[in-house]
Amino acid sequence: MTRIALDVMGGDFAPAATVAGAVEAMRAHDLRPVLVGDKQRIAEELAKLHVGTEEFEIVAAPSVVEMNEQPASALRQKRDSSIIVAAELLKEGRADALISVGNTGATMAAGVLVIGRSEGVIRPAMAGLLPSNTGRVLLLDIGANADCTPAELVQFAIMGSIYARRIVGVDDPRVGLLNVGEEPVKGSRLYRDAHELLDGSPVNFVGNLEGVDLFSGEFDVVVCDGFTGNVAIKLMEGVGDFALGRIRQDVRSSPLAILGAFLMRPTLRSLKRTFDYAEWGGAPLLGVNGLVLIGHGRSDARAVANGVRAAQAALDVGLVEEMAAGLKAAAETA
């Protein structure tokens, strides 16, 4: 059985939501993550769910990196924090994967400083799997690197293509560069230079795309710097919440609208799931020497359970090994 280390103390609603997510993963998916955190608080949350501590392996980590702490200094000062202890389990081979919905910067720093980068990787990248008209599109980076070089964007494209093949099942992923226009000469110097490098790279680069084309289904992998990517996914979340909120508000305007909403309920529920971060559980940090998933700070039990399931799916296909092999092959052909 694989061992997936769960940072129980991370997240806005920890440890209640993370422990409940671990229990849901056990009941729904027959997966039992290793619970890393305050043993007493974990036992208390398990008792509320009528689950004994013997159902899970629990690893003690007395301190927590809070959501508002500066990552680098917090990691230096809190070597016994749940995220550091979980990362060390993965580095030492005592865990096969790591999931945290806590401080994103701290999780990324633990991935780089404790677990380490894969050979040849300049910078790891966070990848978000988003909806599109034909299935899914992988966007990276979505927050790990605010400033990037053209070479890093090319490496993101290589890692994203490997992920799309192994996890999404796309044989020859079409790669696009998120930009302000479709023409190669558009955008900043970074994006013009990245376009030129991507043209000669081993990925299936099909050109620039604008934000309006992100969900068109014409691209399987889209690369950008982490600042742009993070703004893009936060905007998507905001638009989704706004649209559904307006629908709820307008539905109350008349009995006919209420009837229409009732008939549309299955469609509206499907639309909500499409834009719900809880459905995919977490964003993989690609380019580190182990499987690391970073979830939304507001993750509830369902999101945590889906993160555990996503980690198991990535382990099943040997994502980390495939990533290392793909990066090596790309370096040899460069």
Side-chain angles (χ1 to χ4, degrees), residues 272-288:
K272 184 178 185 298
R273 285 195 300 271
T274 297
F275 287 95
D276 188 359
Y277 61 84
E279 287 294 316
W280 45 279
L285 183 62
L286 303 180
V288 293

Side-chain angles (χ1 to χ4, degrees), residues 150-151 153-155 157-158 175-177 182-186 190-208 219 223 333-334:
L153 292 182
V154 172
Q155 198 166 74
I158 294 169
V175 177
L177 180 66
E182 296 180 0
E183 298 83 2
V185 295
K186 288 292 182 71
L190 165 65
Y191 281 84
R192 295 196 302 272
D193 290 348
H195 189 286
E196 184 176 349
L197 286 181
L198 283 165
D199 255 340
S201 74
V203 302
N204 179 18
F205 179 58
V206 295
N208 288 340
F219 303 87
V223 295
T333 58

